[in-house]
Every structure is written in C-alpha cells, then in structure tokens.
Amino acid sequence: MTSRTDSLAGLAADAYVYGYPLVFDVSMISAFMHKGFGSLPPTPFNRFGHSTKLATPDAHFVSVNNDTVYSIAQVDLSGGPVLLHVPDTAGAYYVLQFVDVWSNNFAYLGQRATGTEAGDWLVVPPGWAGTAPDGVRGVIDAPTAVISIVGRNACDGPEDMPRVQALQQQLTLTVLDSASHRTGLPAPDPDVPEELRFFERMRVWTAGFPPSAPDQDHQERFQPLALLEEGPSPYVNADPTLVKALTEGAAAGKARVEAASNPPADGERPPGAWEMNPHLFDYNLDHYGIGTIDSPQWRIADREASYLVRAAAARAALWGNHGYEAVYAHTFTDAEGKRLNGARSYSLRFEQPPPVESFWSVTMYDTPDYYLVDNPVGRYSLGDRTPGLVYGEDGSLTVVIQRERPDDRDGAANWLPAPAGDFRPMIRLYTPGQSVLDGTYQLPPIVARG
C-alpha cells in the first residue's frame, strides 16, 4: 500500500517537472537584469541589452549560439502596453522571439515571419482591450505580464559588428502609459530552507504569472503541496511529512528532467546519429501570435506529455526557437557509439551543405553545462559563413574536431576546437528546408580519426 509520503513525493515530482520551466525562466530573467550574460550588460525592465560581440565562454548561458548577436529585453507590461520599434535590416537575417515566463514562444518578428523592413509593433498585457496607435503594424498579445524578447541578428564576424551595432541602436521599447511598471520580480520568502526554495519560487511565480486556463486546471492537483497558497510562505515551518515529500519529489523530478534532456540513444537509430527534433518547442498549446504557425503539425497532442518536453527544452536550450525558425541537432557519440571526448580526433564530413534558406553552423559545447568551450584561437563555431574554409573538389566539407590545432593547412582551416573532456556539439539550421522538417534529411555522423 502506498504511503501518504510516497504519494505526495510522486505529486511533488510531477510538480517539479511542470514548474521547472517557470522557475528556470524567471531565474534567468532575474540573472539578466542583475548580472547580464557575457557581453550583455545588466539591463532593467523595458530596455534592450545588446551584446557587443558574438558569444564567448564568459556567457554562462545554456547552449548559447555563436552565429548571431543577441539583443534581449525583459518586458514588464503590468503598467500597460509597450511600443516596439524594429529597424530595416535590408534583407539580413534577424529574428525577435517572444517568450512568456512559462517558456512558451508565442510570437516572432523577423526575416521569416514578417520580413526585414522597419515597423512599429504594440506589445500588450493579458486581457488588454485598448486601441493601438495609428501606424502600428500589429499587436502582440503577451500571455504573461512579464515576457522576454530574444533578438538575434546574423553576424558574419567581428568585421560585421558595426552594421549590427547600428541596427541595435534603432531597436527600441517605449512605455506608452503613465501607469507605474514594476521594478522587480515577485520575491520568494528568503527564510524558506534551501531544500524547499524551488517550490517557494514556483509558488510565488505561479501566483504572479498565471498560466493558461487549461494549465490552471491541471495545476489544481498540486493543492496538497501548498503550491497554490497565497500570502505568507507555507514552507518556512512546513510539516516534516511535507518537507520529506517535497525533497524526495524534487530529486525525482530533477532526474526526470535530466533524463529527458539527455535521452539514451534510440536503438533504431545508427550509432552517432544526431538527435534532431524540429518539434522540441511544440509544447505551446494555447498562444499563437504573429509569426507562429497554428497547426496540428506544430502542437504536441498530449498536454500532460508536453510538460516534460517543455522542461527538457528549458534545461537543454532555454529560449530556443520553434523548428520552423531554426532546428537544433546535437550528439554525444561518434559513429561507433562511443562518447565524444577531447582525447580523440574526429571528422564531420558534409557531402553537400545542409538544406537551409538562411544559414547553418556547428558549435562546440562542454558537458554537463552546455557552455561554449574556451580555446586559444577563439573559434567556438563553424559554418557556411566561416571565412577560409577548404572545400573538396566535389563540394564536400570536412570539419576536423579535436583538442589540438591540426598540423596540416586544410585541417587547421576547418578546425573546430574541442575541450579536454567530454563534449556535445550542436548543429543549427536557420530557416530549415522541408527535408529537415519532415525527417528525410539526415546529418552525417562524427567519425573518429585513427
């Protein structure tokens, strides 16, 4: 017979999985506002923080990309709408991705979604029923009172930064109403014991940023965990039975998220096959704004199953795009099924360039943090825009992946530096072709050399 603690622990594990994206996302919002990310400076609400360079290892953000220059804003709509101005990029790739605090991508502006010409857009809070100013191209309805705008401008290297920086200065947010906007995020009780702080954050931020109605119905089952209680924290002097259940549940939930974000190799796939899931970000089931595709193809059918997918996506690639904007593929093993490690040398041979409408890249990350890997030449990614690559006479490209710089000239030109230990490369395909989305295109495996 299952004890009450066991059943509460199981419920707490479910709650951890459900709430992980919210807690992780809001924690990253707070970190951005107070510490910044790498060259992205600390930035208050309703202002863009701009990278001054392509990402480097000092940007301690999971799976950060090295293809585009970031412009990120944390937007507070508690006092009313905010006007967003987007400059003309003259055809160059860019995307502005709109993410609510539950990590749902709910709108896109950019080359794929709305074109590259200049325009004004009105970003409005939940339940807003006003009238947009004249000249606004469209209204972006935010599902939560705080959202993130994650902007990426394609950058072809340091020499291209002046062009990108000129665009960054024209990307602006303007608060329209005189009503006061909050200056900080809802604060969890600091007296809650460390082992319960995840659930305290979840409790406070769930109340501050209610999810969609169907998700609110789902989270009613977490009542026995005190997660839906408002006011003073129930976790400061919690009942020992509840403390035990929450502690055990958090451990089990964390293990579930880690397993889902690093699943074992599919027995039906050949060794070294890339894990490429164009539908990793299809967990948004309720909010389809400008630039999104509202169709069953881009929606997980099972809502409860979507919660674990959402948590795994947040863990491995927070603020990643839907597959129709960009597809991400990663691998931990070579063609023999052995773990990728800097003690060996590898090659990655593309017979033909990956099918994309924009561009593609392969980026090196360490494990288990999935951070960029420092190296003496400052090369963290390689792709079709990398200058000096050496192609075969047949149009093929062989990338050399190893710790030390190759001795031969061609190998050095095509070198992607690896760390000393285990690593996980990631391939990004921007505006992927249909063969990527329907699974008929397969990325080549990484092959050990010698």
Side-chain angles (χ1 to χ4, degrees):
M1 183 175 178
T2 303
S3 71
R4 178 171 179 272
T5 302
D6 289 341
S7 60
L8 277 180
L11 190 62
D14 290 346
Y16 183 97
V17 170
Y18 173 82
Y20 179 85
L22 171 70
V23 174
F24 192 26
D25 193 289
V26 178
S27 297
M28 288 299 100
I29 290 173
S30 178
F32 177 81
M33 293 174 65
H34 294 98
K35 300 177 183 177
F37 298 141
S39 71
L40 279 159
T43 309
F45 275 130
N46 300 334
R47 283 176 49 191
F48 274 99
H50 302 293
S51 285
T52 56
K53 60 181 180 179
L54 289 166
T56 55
D58 62 354
H60 286 172
F61 191 86
V62 59
S63 299
V64 67
N65 91 50
N66 185 245
D67 307 309
T68 63
V69 178
Y70 283 91
S71 294
I72 297 180
Q74 310 305 337
V75 182
D76 170 45
L77 302 164
S78 62
V82 172
L83 188 68
L84 166 67
H85 177 74
V86 178
D88 187 346
T89 67
Y93 178 88
Y94 87 95
V95 63
L96 292 179
Q97 169 195 2
F98 294 74
V99 192
D100 72 13
V101 294
W102 291 87
S103 77
N104 295 302
N105 299 326
F106 65 90
Y108 294 92
L109 304 179
Q111 185 189 64
R112 175 197 62 84
T114 55
T116 61
E117 64 273 18
D120 293 325
W121 304 83
L122 192 66
V123 187
V124 305
W128 183 79
T131 302
D134 293 339
V136 168
R137 284 189 61 186
V139 174
I140 298 171
D141 293 293
T144 51
V146 167
I147 64 166
S148 301
I149 303 177
V150 184
R152 302 172 177 91
N153 276 285
C155 181
D156 293 341
E159 69 284 351
D160 195 29
M161 276 303 301
R163 177 190 66 84
V164 173
Q165 288 173 330
L167 293 171
Q168 289 176 326
Q169 297 313 307
Q170 300 173 65
L171 183 64
T172 60
L173 290 166
T174 305
V175 174
L176 294 187
D177 297 343
S178 58
S180 125
H181 292 245
R182 80 181 90 218
T183 57
L185 295 161
D189 191 321
D191 294 329
V192 171
E194 176 64 34
E195 66 269 22
L196 301 183
R197 285 183 184 171
F198 174 91
F199 293 106
E200 171 65 2
R201 293 185 184 113
M202 182 178 170
R203 181 188 74 88
V204 171
W205 293 336
T206 297
F209 308 111
S212 65
D215 282 357
Q216 289 186 52
D217 290 341
H218 174 82
Q219 68 188 25
E220 284 297 318
R221 61 196 292 262
F222 302 136
Q223 286 277 8
L225 303 173
L227 277 168
L228 305 183
E229 291 188 19
E230 297 186 12
S233 175
Y235 302 129
V236 173
N237 294 297
D239 180 271
T241 300
L242 179 59
V243 173
K244 184 174 186 294
L246 290 173
T247 304
E248 293 176 357
K254 182 177 181 180
R256 199 182 300 172
V257 172
E258 289 296 320
S261 61
N262 182 14
D266 187 338
E268 297 180 359
R269 294 189 299 136
W274 293 77
E275 180 73 23
M276 181 167 62
N277 180 8
H279 300 286
L280 180 61
F281 296 91
D282 291 2
Y283 49 78
N284 173 17
L285 305 179
D286 305 299
H287 308 290
Y288 300 97
I290 292 167
T292 61
I293 298 177
D294 181 5
S295 74
Q297 177 190 1
W298 298 103
R299 202 163 42 233
I300 293 175
D302 184 336
R303 182 175 292 270
E304 288 206 26
S306 75
Y307 300 136
L308 182 57
V309 175
R310 182 176 67 176
R315 169 67 182 92
L318 184 68
W319 299 348
N321 295 287
H322 275 97
Y324 45 77
E325 184 68 40
V327 166
Y328 313 90
H330 68 258
T331 184
F332 293 90
T333 59
D334 64 16
E336 299 173 355
K338 296 180 180 178
R339 188 84 178 191
L340 295 170
N341 187 279
R344 305 185 75 186
S345 174
Y346 306 90
S347 63
L348 172 61
R349 179 181 172 85
F350 295 93
E351 299 294 342
Q352 296 294 328
V356 294
E357 294 181 18
S358 296
F359 58 95
W360 68 270
S361 69
V362 54
T363 307
M364 177 62 65
Y365 299 98
D366 65 11
T367 63
D369 295 320
Y370 308 144
Y371 291 160
L372 294 176
V373 174
D374 202 3
N375 64 81
V377 295
R379 176 180 277 184
Y380 311 109
S381 65
L382 179 153
D384 56 1
R385 300 171 305 139
T386 302
L389 294 181
V390 177
Y391 291 81
E393 293 182 1
D394 57 359
S396 64
L397 174 67
T398 300
V399 180
V400 178
I401 303 173
Q402 60 185 46
R403 185 181 180 191
E404 303 296 336
R405 181 187 181 94
D407 294 330
D408 63 298
R409 182 176 176 182
D410 290 357
N414 295 357
W415 177 39
L416 181 62
D422 290 346
F423 59 87
R424 182 206 69 168
M426 177 178 282
I427 291 177
R428 288 179 170 86
L429 308 174
Y430 291 86
T431 323
Q434 183 57 38
S435 61
V436 174
L437 299 180
D438 64 22
T440 55
Y441 173 75
Q442 297 296 314
L443 290 164
I446 294 175
V447 178
R449 293 155 51 104

